[in-house]
Amino acid sequence: NAITAGTVRQAYLFAGPRGTGKTSLARILAKALNCAQGASPTPDNTCNSCVTITAGTSLDVIEMDAASQRGIDDIREIRERVVLQPVEGRYKVYILDEAHQLTDAAWNALLKLIEEPPPHLVFVFCTTELQKVLPTVRSRCQTFVFQRPRLPELVRYLRRVADGEAIQVPDQALALVAR
């Protein structure tokens, strides 16, 4: 909706348990922002920008594992590089996975960038422990909390897929697959 409305935020915080799609959605957001067809909620997945983001080779999308790059020196490196314009897309997207592992000093070094970023910069912080992200940072990010789908939701989705493919399958079998 933000892309459609032209109200893309400069910092997003995706929180939730492992395996709920936080980092995957961060990559999809990067594609949606940088697709050669224009910023769109449905990137074409065929242009060079989309292909390189999918392959993890885009110069405009930088993924960092905050578990191993968690210090202030790593953040200083980001601060030095953000002034560079995107190579191919419209945005430089920094995806920091396991962001809760950044040190307080690193978060404080990032705070100025989050508050006053260049117009071509978007941060996506992914975390499994929202409470460990500094409150000052959380207040400056648009936060999305991810949850695992419940068993009945999965069964309904599987039923919709099975019906759409004209596959005859009992609900008990769908529940077993969902489990």
Side-chain angles (χ1 to χ4, degrees), residues 49-89:
S49 184
C50 288
V51 170
T52 58
I53 292 170
T54 299
T57 58
S58 173
L59 297 175
D60 293 334
V61 179
I62 296 89
E63 285 191 49
M64 296 177 63
D65 179 16
S68 59
Q69 296 171 304
R70 59 188 303 254
I72 194 162
D73 291 334
D74 299 305
I75 301 309
R76 282 191 186 122
E77 185 180 327
I78 291 175
R79 290 177 64 170
E80 290 170 6
R81 290 191 293 175
V82 296
V83 295
L84 301 173
Q85 292 292 317
V87 175
E88 183 176 16

Side-chain angles (χ1 to χ4, degrees), residues 73-136:
D73 291 334
D74 299 305
I75 301 309
R76 282 191 186 122
E77 185 180 327
I78 291 175
R79 290 177 64 170
E80 290 170 6
R81 290 191 293 175
V82 296
V83 295
L84 301 173
Q85 292 292 317
V87 175
E88 183 176 16
R90 286 169 293 292
Y91 292 92
K92 280 264 193 205
V93 180
Y94 280 84
I95 301 171
L96 277 79
D97 207 5
E98 299 298 330
H100 61 275
Q101 294 197 29
L102 288 174
T103 64
D104 286 354
W107 277 120
N108 286 324
L110 266 177
L111 201 52
K112 181 78 168 164
L113 271 178
I114 296 170
E115 289 174 335
E116 299 172 14
H120 64 270
L121 180 64
V122 174
F123 280 108
V124 184
F125 304 108
C126 302
T127 182
T128 55
E129 299 184 43
L130 181 60
Q131 74 281 1
K132 289 188 178 180
V133 177
L134 291 180
T136 52

